[in-house]
């Protein structure tokens, strides 16, 4: 059995994340999804709680159909301990998929096998752009899977982001 | 839709936990399972990592068949903030099931509906007894669901507990 | 009895804070004043300790004559827990006065009544401007209540700010 | 002007604390009252939040009539830093009153003048005894100043303590 | 080149520690000495600061003459991260010497070579006994290397321990 | 005996640090070298672990020949406690050498004697410039003592810095 690890902040979960997970799914038996900076929320860069992000992941992964674990990972702000921190919070995994240089380096120094994925156009999407559109009142729904948009609506996510983005 | 919250330390997951979850499952649509003291491991009272406990839960819940989220909850050591901490790390839930007086009190002060469950004989089981048997080399497999015993074997859990329980 | 909550960093307490508290005072019986980022001091943006800021508040509030509590509030860097953190450190209050979008949002999500105040000219004052003048050796005393200026003199506040603002 | 420092956990504020403060009051101009272990609450040994303890202090000090500051002090669990931590959170003070050997030692190493007070019979009172009586349903009101009892009633303090003291 | 790691709390450094280091010294080129629970001091079980313990180690190691690094290691209270924490704070080492089951386990899970040492009579010495004698006013100097006793005298260590051990 | 304190981040140890320590060495008996921001590593501004920085210091100080202690100092992010934090982690010292305004201020408020050193041309060197050259593939070895360059090579330091500096 092969279990893969993939981490993101998912602020919010968008088509770029979805595209990566769709491509990893057929290659492995199970995916462990780390929800990074789990302790942050109600910030312009991090509007959603870890729990809300777990809801988005559950909604989106139903489509993909791969068995998965979604696990909040709080920041330690000690990079040298970060891989151990991830290991302690997650089921054992065999391989890491990441295009983030620091994530790659830290798992590499910890002796893990790390693979990068070729970028698709959808991967160039960023949470920054999704949040910018939400604040600006522009169209953002096409950038996230439909079930994720439904979760964001249910939790009034856009309203929260707009409010905390307004100036004093 | 009704989503329930249930929390334990799961050191290890045993028949008492299983019995509670079996009884909650038919009453709700989804269960959020909090893995308490998530940051602790490799201690006599807390031998297993949060990730290992997630593996036990996944193995055991397959039998029950209810949709669930399993979420590590790190200790804050600030009881007044604990309910908010749980809320931030978990999907929204409507009801809490607990027989722990502090858990009941903290969710009650946070305005949540809390229900207790009548105790069955199997509920009187404690992680303490399971760990005592493991250290003593006594029979412990009958106290946990079979798939959980398989996880504990896979991670050499008994050996670890024995070693950290030996005196200097 | 009505108790109101108002929070600031008070680096230092200036006429803007004073004007807000003067307007809240006649509307309520008691005011709970939160001293935010209490753990920070000796920084260009946060030169004064929480204790020094308590001295400024005591000096200034004597003029206003409203019963009050002044309470240091350390940062948690977990917004989802912040309202509970404030609740745990302060006497119970019924209403929050704030013009800060994040403070408004967090108390609103916690179910508190929040009111904003129309801005006066004096409210547009910022601690940033007071600190800038102190560092530049410009006139700053007219921007703070006279008893606050006396506290800042007593603790040699301007000298400290100038020193930590000098470059290496 | 002389400002004195006195620290307690005030779980709850009782006649022993009151007697000490009554004797310090005539000797100094102002008292800084530290509320120790401020972050703890909802525990058998620490049932009340820092904010609730501030309410008890405010109620009790009205009788004594001395100007005071009451300041929550969170535990650092680093004794070597504790005196600096207290200094940073409180207005400047000239003298410490304490009978606690560790408090005496830490302020002494920090160069502060520390005085002990002769014990009165009322001083032998302990928070432990007050809490024991509350849990046991025994008479406890005579052990605390009447205005403190009123605060404890207002916040349903005895009920909370009883509930968290009950066994699982 | 071989570099070994050895960890203790050194409260205080005693003949047991010294005997172990004397036996490791000829086997390796350099020793990395971890000073555990570095953040604790002024406690009955942990009277000395990390800095004071570094002074004791420097005084004692002069006799042994092996090149060494002495490094304070603060507690993390997350066993799963502890080996990484040690690695991040210390020069690289090849081998660990320890008789502590938890230390052995944690380095073993981290893939390190761990060796135990046969116990000598002097090894059965414990910091507990040294501290007990200090508090009781009994003879303790024969239990520590002479240069360590000189450091303890220089810092008035026995007086501090006696004072914090006295009851309130 | 005179013991001096000097602190830097040593990311990496360069000729500027070396020049300062060479000038302090003849003035004192021992030097305590604080390794600041000890918990940080694997960041563009802080690539090396505290342990790796201890190795660089040991390599460089052999040339200078002064007795020294090198001690990792983790950030507290509470400036008012920082001097006490340093005192607790280090052997006692009599004098501080620093040109950093905040370090000077904090030790000055703690009652320590602080001296500045006239700047040499080599002192204008910064870790920022050394790291920039490493990332850019430019010549950096002339900016650090030769034994430090050897340590950086041994730990593959440049490769790590390049990798974590690459963009996602």
């Amino acid at each position: 059995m092969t279990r893969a690890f993939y981490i993101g902040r998912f602020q919010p979960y968008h088509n770029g994340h979805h595209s990566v997970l769709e491509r990893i799914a057929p290659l492995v038996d199970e995916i462990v999804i780390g929800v990074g900076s789990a302790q942050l929320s109600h910030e312009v860069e991090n509007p959603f709680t870890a729990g809300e992000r777990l809801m988005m992941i559950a909604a989106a992964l139903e489509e993909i159909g791969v068995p998965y674990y979604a696990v909040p990972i709080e920041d330690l702000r000690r990079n040298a301990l970060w891989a151990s921190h991830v290991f302690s919070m997650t089921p054992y995994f065999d391989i890491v998929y990441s295009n983030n240089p620091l994530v790659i380096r830290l798992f590499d120094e910890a002796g893990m096998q790390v693979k990068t994925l070729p970028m698709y156009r959808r991967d160039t999407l960023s949470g920054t752009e999704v949040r910018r559109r939400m604040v600006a009142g522009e169209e953002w729904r096409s950038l996230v899977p439909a079930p994720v948009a439904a979760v964001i609506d249910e939790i009034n996510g856009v309203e929260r982001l707009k409010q905390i983005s307004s100036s004093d």
Side-chain angles (χ1 to χ4, degrees), chain A residues 64-106:
Chain A
I64 302 185
V66 69
Y68 74 96
Y69 295 82
V71 187
I73 305 287
E74 302 189 9
D75 293 327
L76 275 190
R77 296 199 47 79
R78 297 180 172 236
N79 285 334
L81 279 59
W82 189 78
S84 292
H85 177 48
V86 170
F87 294 149
S88 76
M89 290 291 157
T90 56
Y92 293 93
F93 48 85
D94 312 289
I95 186 170
V96 173
Y97 286 93
S98 179
N99 287 333
N100 179 291
L102 180 60
V103 169
I104 293 169
R105 179 79 199 185
L106 295 176

Side-chain angles (χ1 to χ4, degrees), chain A residues 85-159:
Chain A
H85 177 48
V86 170
F87 294 149
S88 76
M89 290 291 157
T90 56
Y92 293 93
F93 48 85
D94 312 289
I95 186 170
V96 173
Y97 286 93
S98 179
N99 287 333
N100 179 291
L102 180 60
V103 169
I104 293 169
R105 179 79 199 185
L106 295 176
F107 278 119
D108 191 63
E109 290 196 10
M112 287 299 299
Q113 188 191 359
V114 187
K115 287 201 182 153
T116 57
L117 284 168
M119 285 286 188
Y120 283 15
R121 201 177 147 287
R122 275 209 294 175
D123 303 352
T124 60
L125 244 182
S126 72
T128 305
E129 172 63 10
V130 182
R131 294 190 302 272
R132 189 196 63 71
R133 292 196 189 181
M134 287 174 165
V135 171
E138 298 177 12
E139 195 282 324
W140 56 270
R141 286 162 200 277
S142 63
L143 305 183
V144 308
V148 170
V151 169
I152 292 171
D153 287 341
E154 180 193 340
I155 65 175
N156 286 316
V158 176
E159 182 207 335

